[in-house]
Amino acid sequence: MQAIEIKPGIYWVGAIDWSMRSFHGYSTNRGSSYNAYLILDDKVTLIDTVKAPFADDLVARIASVIDPAKIDYIVSNHVEPDHSGGLPIISRCCPNAKIITSSPQGLRGLTARYGNLPYQEVKTGEALSIGKRTLKFVATPMLHWPDSMVTYCPEEKILFSNDAFGQHLASNKRFDDENALPVVMEEAKKYYANILMLFGKQAQGALKALSALDIELIAVGHGILWRSHIPEILASYENWSKNERDDHAVIVFDTMWGSTERLADTIADSFTEKGIAVSFFDLRSNHISDVTTEVLTSKYLAVGSPTLNNQMMPSVACFLCYIKGLQPKGLQAFAFGSYGWGGQSVGLIEDELKAIGCEICLEKIRVANVPTRAQLATIRDQINSL
Ligand code: FEO
């Protein structure tokens, strides 16, 4: 395990998790990385650690450039264990190191998880000299935990941004210009949608605070570092946090014997005829976190389910529960579905869409047994009139 020098005297010493396929329920089809950074200065400083099972990788990469015992500071930008899990092991390797954490939430969180270690609290705006470099701390509360902060080094123009601007993406290439940009942006969007969508206002606040900084490198906590496409990722965060939406429809459904799927097909055709792009997700073969990625930037959401035991299908309930937590803003939505008898699912979906805060833009589409040609023609007309 070797450290990778990203600037003179500054090393990536993180871990690549090639095999991870779920991050607390978010599908991570391309794995991830837990990025940590070592700065060699008068005071040797480690920025963040890694998920606990990868602590040996972290120690080995640090040891490839310096004895870990020489670390003076460990900056913990975020308490979540994918970044702090290596703290107990690394702090045993460097017992004299101070652990820098946000006040009071970082201190509270780290103490609860790891007991009394040599913590040093910092507040937003405080700075720490480590020799010829300075580290400035900017609190980013609820982006996405109360303790979250970022660390800026003005002499190097590096922002150590932790979760912000990151992606769950495993690669042996560290920089944006060494990887396929559409893939990196796709994973950054998926990350924002599934982790940060709920915190758009806080993201706006953070972007405002960071706009005063001269940034040449964003050293993220996950995935690929930004050095050549910083304006693109900042502009994307601006749009996502403001809930900017495209003329795009997300159609998501489950089906039992094909009738609800037939409705979904007709809805997709109708949007297409109207010139609106469509993302089509059958929940039997698509993950809710991929649907959520498209929900982030789409104007319309159509959710369908047949009735099963007086309810909607559990897969649809799962999706609605998931996006209810993420609180998408400014979505226009409607419900559709088929039934044999009873037929409660469509009303239940509409109730949930209202509870999520969606504007109901179309009367619910509710069809007994199998949709007739006349019913499908009505759907086309209704969507055309949107
Ligand atoms: Fe990557 Fe919120 O931890």
Side-chain angles (χ1 to χ4, degrees):
M1 292 281 172
Q2 292 293 313
I4 296 171
E5 193 166 37
I6 59 169
K7 277 205 164 195
I10 303 178
Y11 297 82
W12 177 87
V13 289
I16 302 175
D17 191 346
W18 297 100
S19 302
M20 181 180 69
R21 290 296 177 267
S22 175
F23 187 84
H24 51 56
Y26 156 177
S27 69
T28 51
N29 303 326
R30 293 185 171 110
S32 192
S33 70
Y34 314 109
N35 297 338
Y37 303 93
L38 183 71
I39 306 174
L40 301 187
D41 208 319
D42 295 347
K43 299 290 185 186
V44 177
T45 302
L46 177 67
I47 309 275
D48 288 318
T49 73
V50 295
K51 199 172 176 179
F54 296 87
D56 287 348
D57 293 15
L58 172 70
V59 173
R61 288 194 205 276
I62 294 168
S64 72
V65 287
I66 196 170
D67 178 356
K70 293 186 175 169
I71 294 173
D72 297 288
Y73 292 118
I74 304 169
V75 175
S76 175
N77 280 316
H78 182 26
V79 171
E80 194 164 14
D82 50 330
H83 305 284
S84 71
L87 262 183
I89 287 177
I90 194 68
S91 62
R92 280 199 290 277
C93 295
C94 48
N96 297 320
K98 284 264 172 39
I99 299 169
I100 310 295
T101 183
S102 66
S103 173
Q105 299 284 4
L107 178 66
R108 200 173 291 159
L110 291 179
T111 305
R113 286 181 183 278
Y114 308 113
N116 291 318
L117 294 171
Y119 302 116
Q120 181 176 323
E121 294 176 86
V122 291
K123 289 189 181 297
T124 199
E126 285 187 26
L128 178 72
S129 172
I130 57 171
K132 59 180 185 291
R133 301 178 182 90
T134 312
L135 300 178
K136 295 185 172 180
F137 307 103
V138 180
T140 53
M142 296 317 299
L143 203 67
H144 65 123
W145 277 21
D147 63 279
S148 297
M149 70 175 186
V150 298
T151 298
Y152 177 64
C153 178
E155 294 83 3
E156 301 285 355
K157 300 181 180 176
I158 300 181
L159 179 70
F160 298 97
S161 67
N162 196 265
D163 280 334
F165 313 116
Q167 333 89 39
H168 283 313
L169 176 54
S171 171
N172 62 348
K173 306 285 189 187
R174 298 269 58 83
F175 293 102
D176 52 357
D177 46 38
E178 299 173 324
N179 288 271
L181 186 61
V183 171
V184 183
M185 286 303 298
E186 179 186 327
E187 293 298 341
K189 181 181 176 185
K190 184 170 184 180
Y191 193 94
Y192 185 94
N194 285 275
I195 303 281
L196 299 174
M197 188 196 294
L198 174 60
F199 305 112
K201 278 191 180 155
Q202 290 85 350
Q204 281 281 300
L207 288 169
K208 193 173 174 195
L210 300 180
S211 66
L213 305 179
D214 186 6
I215 300 171
E216 287 185 353
L217 175 64
I218 301 179
V220 290
H222 298 290
I224 307 305
L225 286 67
W226 300 96
R227 68 178 176 190
S228 295
H229 299 284
I230 291 173
E232 289 97 318
I233 187 64
L234 291 177
S236 294
Y237 263 58
E238 190 73 34
N239 291 340
W240 298 333
S241 61
K242 284 182 176 166
N243 306 297
E244 301 276 344
R245 298 188 175 279
D246 303 326
D247 249 0
H248 196 112
V250 171
I251 299 163
V252 54
F253 66 97
D254 200 343
T255 193
M256 210 184 297
W257 294 106
S259 290
T260 299
E261 185 171 19
R262 186 88 191 278
L263 296 175
D265 284 335
T266 300
I267 291 165
D269 282 350
S270 306
F271 275 116
T272 304
E273 286 162 14
K274 201 175 156 56
I276 292 176
V278 162
S279 294
F280 192 86
F281 296 104
D282 180 339
L283 286 171
R284 294 172 300 179
S285 52
N286 287 280
H287 196 275
I288 55 172
S289 55
D290 289 314
V291 185
T292 299
T293 305
E294 293 309 310
V295 167
L296 175 67
T297 51
S298 295
K299 185 173 175 183
Y300 299 106
L301 173 65
V303 183
S305 174
T307 296
L308 175 68
N309 301 327
N310 305 322
Q311 298 291 326
M312 66 185 90
M313 299 278 278
S315 56
V316 179
C318 174
F319 166 69
L320 290 170
C321 172
Y322 188 68
I323 64 161
K324 191 176 192 177
L326 291 165
Q327 294 180 15
K329 307 279 190 307
L331 260 180
Q332 297 186 41
F334 61 92
F336 65 96
S338 60
Y339 63 98
W341 64 98
Q344 296 92 336
S345 63
V346 180
L348 291 169
I349 291 170
E350 188 178 271
D351 289 346
E352 275 305 288
L353 291 172
K354 287 177 183 169
I356 288 165
C358 300
E359 177 194 336
I360 302 301
C361 62
L362 200 70
E363 178 71 23
K364 51 184 175 286
I365 298 168
R366 192 167 165 271
V367 166
N369 297 306
V370 177
T372 64
R373 292 173 77 121
Q375 285 171 322
L376 296 177
T378 302
I379 291 169
R380 286 179 190 279
D381 291 343
Q382 286 174 319
I383 290 177
N384 197 41
S385 65
L386 273 175

